Amino acid sequence: MLLDGDDWRAYFDAFEREAWRFEAQPTYTMPKERANFARFLRGEAKPPDHNARWHERVRQYMASGRRVRRVRIVRRPLTDYQRYQFSWGIPGNIEAGEDIRVLDVTDEDYGLPLTGQDWWMFDDTRIVHLNYRPDGTQINRETHTGNPEPYLRWKETALKHAVPFKEYIKDLDLRT
């Protein structure tokens, strides 16, 4: 089943304990981010309300006893988009309560399905594939109706080898 708009929001918001994301694209081409990404590349300051709607949602999830976590897959050198996210996006997400870790697969793939497939897993049972074009443009979101067991193993592997975001970036130069 494809999910979009209000259906996607309702499906996402229905999780009871944890929303967990496997984030593997080197670049996301998001129309809502285009202007801010251009500002980042020009070396301008981050707007104070950057990603505020997501931050408010994360705070609400946390206040209700739910958590949001993700592992961000990267290969060096980081793309401009990854530097943008690491500078402008992820710190605010963490401040709002999200647990974000980084798994660098430059030298080792850890047996993960690094096919460019992103997915969300809700409560370790419901999976939604996020399908993208090679340029990072999202095509659609699609529920996975098969066995969640491989996804649970991939999640466990990713978490085992990933490091907390702040630890990963401590020695990185994220400037443009």
Side-chain angles (χ1 to χ4, degrees):
M1 170 174 74
L2 296 179
L3 296 169
D4 199 13
D6 291 341
D7 291 338
W8 168 235
R9 176 72 185 255
Y11 192 93
F12 192 106
D13 286 347
F15 78 93
E16 295 176 4
R17 293 176 311 283
E18 179 183 72
W20 190 86
R21 182 163 177 185
F22 184 81
E23 193 171 46
Q25 303 303 308
T27 298
Y28 294 91
T29 306
M30 311 262 301
K32 293 187 302 186
E33 290 184 332
R34 189 169 290 137
N36 280 335
F37 184 43
R39 286 184 187 105
F40 170 78
L41 291 175
R42 290 191 301 264
E44 296 177 15
K46 177 175 80 170
D49 64 344
H50 181 74
N51 216 13
R53 289 177 59 199
W54 175 247
H55 298 159
E56 182 55 33
R57 284 180 70 189
V58 170
R59 285 185 195 98
Q60 289 173 1
Y61 298 138
M62 299 298 291
S64 70
R66 298 180 288 171
R67 62 185 182 173
V68 180
R69 303 190 313 157
R70 72 178 76 205
V71 168
R72 179 73 168 100
I73 305 298
V74 298
R75 284 186 180 86
R76 291 181 311 267
L78 297 179
T79 66
D80 287 343
Y81 185 85
Q82 289 167 333
R83 289 186 306 99
Y84 160 69
Q85 280 295 297
F86 283 20
S87 296
W88 283 25
I90 293 174
N93 293 3
I94 291 171
E95 185 177 308
E98 194 172 349
D99 177 1
I100 301 176
R101 297 170 184 273
V102 178
L103 178 56
D104 192 319
V105 296
T106 303
D107 300 319
E108 169 72 49
D109 70 9
Y110 303 102
L112 292 167
L114 302 176
T115 61
Q117 178 75 66
D118 284 32
W119 40 276
W120 279 99
M121 178 185 292
F122 302 97
D123 300 325
D124 287 340
T125 59
R126 297 181 301 129
I127 293 120
V128 174
H129 290 168
L130 308 175
N131 300 311
Y132 292 89
R133 292 186 180 99
D135 72 350
T137 302
Q138 190 174 77
I139 301 166
N140 59 34
R141 298 174 201 94
E142 182 176 14
T143 58
H144 171 75
T145 57
N147 184 354
E149 188 58 37
Y151 295 85
L152 291 166
R153 284 194 312 270
W154 295 328
K155 174 185 172 185
E156 182 180 324
T157 298
L159 287 169
K160 177 181 177 182
H161 297 287
V163 298
F165 172 75
K166 290 179 181 178
E167 181 180 325
Y168 185 79
I169 67 161
K170 68 182 176 191
D171 297 322
L172 289 180
D173 181 4
L174 299 173
R175 292 173 291 165
T176 56

